């Protein structure tokens, strides 16, 4: 189960957030869906909140200052720890108004994670779509490493994903071992490669489960990714802190009977706890805030 279903509305816009995992279950405008939804359990990480790390930690093990930490291996087939500690936890509702909702969860301890922390997420609807704000607070006495990610499947309304164009703000791609999905090299410039989506590329026949980096903000200071068609589409925007994005194109989204695309803003790449790449740190009692959002295009 996904706990309580928290609905928010603003004009013709509607979103649903679950108390289990604080995940985004639905976002639609005038009845047109702009994220993939589901009936029972969220499939393939749909809508998940990924804290205190997104993506994978190799072999569920990481170390700092000579101390080895063993996380719970939550990706059993590969032996990795995946997507943090809170995506299946029950969250507490802090505030729920007509157009916004804020939830919070505290993690006092977990295997391989000796850093108590609290994190909150706020979903707010406006004329500009859905905005999401993350806060991470170090509740311990030592510096805490962390990363933040999220796992939406933005949907271009009722248009088939294969008939749409994917555009990414990313400038690099991260090579990974195909068996473990753990990085095995330095980020590569996408210019002139099949991974260059800066000017957009049709999604038909494109298969990705890929981490992209070097996300370049636009003139408004925000990072923009989109899935578009001649009549509109959907955009995922983010603060520059979300300099990474994982793109996943499953062959079929459960219950939909068609392909989907996940565009997952991340503050760091896979296995950042080991590599240190773009890993963030919080001092005792320090907090961090970051924002991203989804908005319809041409609606």
């Amino acid at each position: 189960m996904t706990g309580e279903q928290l609905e928010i509305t603003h004009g013709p816009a509607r979103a649903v957030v679950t108390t289990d995992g604080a995940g985004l279950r639905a976002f639609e405008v005038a009845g047109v869906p702009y994220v993939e939804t589901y009936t029972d359990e969220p499939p393939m990480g749909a809508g998940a909140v990924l804290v205190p790390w997104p993506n994978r930690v190799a072999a569920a093990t990481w170390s700092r200052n000579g101390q080895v930490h063993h996380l719970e291996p939550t990706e059993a087939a590969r032996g990795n720890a995946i997507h943090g500690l809170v995506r299946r936890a029950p969250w507490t509702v802090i505030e729920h108004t007509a157009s916004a909702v804020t939830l919070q969860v505290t993690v006092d301890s977990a295997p391989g994670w000796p850093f108590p922390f609290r994190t909150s997420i706020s979903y707010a609807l406006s004329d500009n779509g859905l905005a999401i704000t993350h806060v991470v607070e170090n509740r311990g006495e030592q510096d805490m490493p962390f990363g933040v990610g999220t796992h939406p499947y933005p949907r271009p309304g009722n248009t088939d994903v294969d008939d749409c164009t994917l555009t990414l703000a990313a400038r690099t791609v991260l090579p990974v071992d195909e068996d473990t999905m753990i990085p095995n090299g330095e980020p590569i410039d996408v210019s002139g490669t099949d991974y260059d989506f800066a000017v957009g590329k049709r999604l038909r026949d494109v298969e990705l489960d890929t981490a992209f980096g070097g996300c370049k903000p636009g003139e408004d200071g925000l990072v923009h990714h989109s899935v578009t068609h001649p009549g509109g589409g959907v955009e995922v925007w983010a603060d520059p802190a979300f300099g990474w994005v994982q793109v996943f194109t499953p062959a079929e989204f459960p219950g939909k009977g068609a392909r989907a695309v996940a565009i997952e803003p991340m503050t760091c790449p896979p296995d950042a706890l080991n590599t240190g790449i773009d890993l963030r740190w919080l001092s005792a009692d320090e907090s961090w805030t970051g924002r991203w959002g989804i908005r319809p295009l041409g609606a």
Side-chain angles (χ1 to χ4, degrees):
M1 302 297 292
T2 55
E4 186 180 355
Q5 311 300 297
L6 306 170
E7 182 179 86
I8 55 176
T9 60
H10 175 81
R14 171 181 175 270
V16 177
V17 177
T18 65
T19 53
D20 285 1
L24 178 62
R25 183 167 189 163
F27 170 47
E28 60 187 43
V29 179
V32 177
Y34 287 99
V35 297
E36 303 291 356
T37 189
Y38 52 88
T39 54
D40 297 312
E41 295 295 320
M44 298 183 294
V49 180
L50 316 178
V51 180
W53 73 85
N55 215 286
R56 296 168 173 87
V57 178
T61 302
W62 66 286
S63 62
R64 274 293 181 274
N65 300 323
Q67 184 175 4
V68 179
H69 302 282
H70 297 282
L71 300 162
E72 180 183 356
T74 48
E75 189 183 37
R78 296 187 173 104
N80 300 318
I82 190 168
H83 291 336
L85 300 172
V86 298
R87 66 179 176 134
R88 293 188 175 91
W91 292 52
T92 300
V93 179
I94 301 302
E95 184 177 19
H96 187 187
T97 67
S99 61
V101 62
T102 299
L103 303 94
Q104 179 179 280
V105 66
T106 299
V107 175
D108 290 321
S109 64
W113 194 261
F115 309 101
F117 70 93
R118 181 166 60 199
T119 186
S120 66
I121 187 167
S122 299
Y123 296 87
L125 287 170
S126 72
D127 291 343
N128 293 319
L130 179 65
I132 298 96
T133 303
H134 297 263
V135 178
V136 181
E137 305 172 60
N138 183 355
R139 305 287 289 175
E141 298 180 353
Q142 58 182 321
D143 292 352
M144 182 186 84
F146 78 100
V148 172
T150 188
H151 206 303
Y153 286 82
R155 177 170 172 162
N158 292 316
T159 301
D160 192 321
V161 163
D162 279 336
D163 294 328
C164 292
T165 295
L166 173 66
T167 304
L168 301 176
R171 296 296 182 266
T172 64
V173 63
L174 190 64
V176 298
D177 180 278
E178 292 185 3
D179 292 328
T180 64
M181 295 298 291
I182 296 299
N184 62 0
E186 297 296 318
I188 299 169
D189 190 327
V190 298
S191 301
T193 74
D194 291 341
Y195 295 101
D196 189 351
F197 291 88
V199 294
K201 187 178 296 186
R202 193 179 184 191
L203 271 165
R204 188 174 299 278
D205 299 324
V206 170
E207 296 183 5
L208 298 169
D209 190 357
T210 308
F212 294 86
C215 294
K216 184 178 180 180
E219 293 182 358
D220 60 356
L222 298 173
V223 170
H224 297 272
H225 314 293
S226 63
V227 180
T228 58
H229 52 84
V234 62
E235 178 183 80
V236 176
W237 59 266
D239 286 344
F242 292 90
W244 292 84
V245 62
Q246 182 84 11
V247 181
F248 176 44
T249 56
E252 181 177 333
F253 190 86
K256 182 183 180 183
R259 288 225 301 165
V261 56
I263 299 178
E264 311 166 36
M266 306 184 298
T267 62
C268 61
D271 207 30
L273 285 174
N274 283 306
T275 66
I277 297 174
D278 289 338
L279 191 65
R280 293 176 176 268
W281 289 83
L282 287 175
S283 301
D285 296 323
E286 186 181 9
S287 66
W288 173 92
T289 301
R291 297 174 69 245
W292 66 281
I294 303 175
R295 70 181 185 98
L297 299 175

